[in-house]
Amino acid sequence: MPLPEDFYDRVYAIVRQIPSGKVASYGDIARAVGAAGAARTVGYAMNASHGKDGIPAHRVVNRIGMLSGKAHFPGINAMEQMLEAEGVVIKNDQIQDFDRHHWDPVKELGIDLDDLGL
DNA sequence: TATTTGACACACT
DNA sequence: CAGTGTGCCAAAT
């Protein structure tokens, strides 16, 4: 279980479950993987998700719904372009009606923070 | 083996 | 109510 990839795999598993037109915050994902507070590490995991596929990193934003990681995408506008294509309204690198598009994995997937094996 | 960085989050002023 | 500073976990060097 102490495999480094395990952590990434958990993050990918959650991000992969994000439905189209929805977005999740790093903190929520961090909690979903059992690493509450490791939001930064989640972003790091996303950095490794580039070479992989099926990892809609463009649906992952910070808590305020800002496209903080847009700079890490191939195109500076690729992130918002994809989000807009899914029905998400982006304004000035920020998601409009973030609460409306917010998708909490812990809540939607019914993940029990006590059942993460901690 | 220890230190610094990192696509954040929360608390305080 | 808004802005600034500090703290968190894990990975990489």
Side-chain angles (χ1 to χ4, degrees), chain A residues 75-109:
Chain A
I76 307 299
N77 295 49
M79 192 172 188
E80 58 181 85
Q81 289 296 294
M82 284 191 282
L83 287 171
E84 287 183 327
E86 298 188 349
V88 181
V89 183
I90 309 299
K91 189 69 173 186
N92 199 352
D93 299 342
Q94 213 172 286
I95 298 175
Q96 299 306 291
D97 300 312
F98 178 63
D99 182 66
R100 191 165 69 87
H101 295 289
H102 186 203
W103 188 81
D104 189 340
V106 180
K107 181 180 180 181
E108 300 301 315
L109 296 178

Side-chain angles (χ1 to χ4, degrees), chain A residues 47-91:
Chain A
N47 199 0
S49 70
H50 275 291
K52 305 160 191 331
D53 55 318
I55 314 298
H58 61 270
R59 292 181 191 158
V60 184
V61 294
N62 58 6
R63 199 201 165 302
I64 61 181
M66 188 174 83
L67 282 57
S68 43
K70 70 169 297 179
H72 295 259
F73 275 78
I76 307 299
N77 295 49
M79 192 172 188
E80 58 181 85
Q81 289 296 294
M82 284 191 282
L83 287 171
E84 287 183 327
E86 298 188 349
V88 181
V89 183
I90 309 299
K91 189 69 173 186

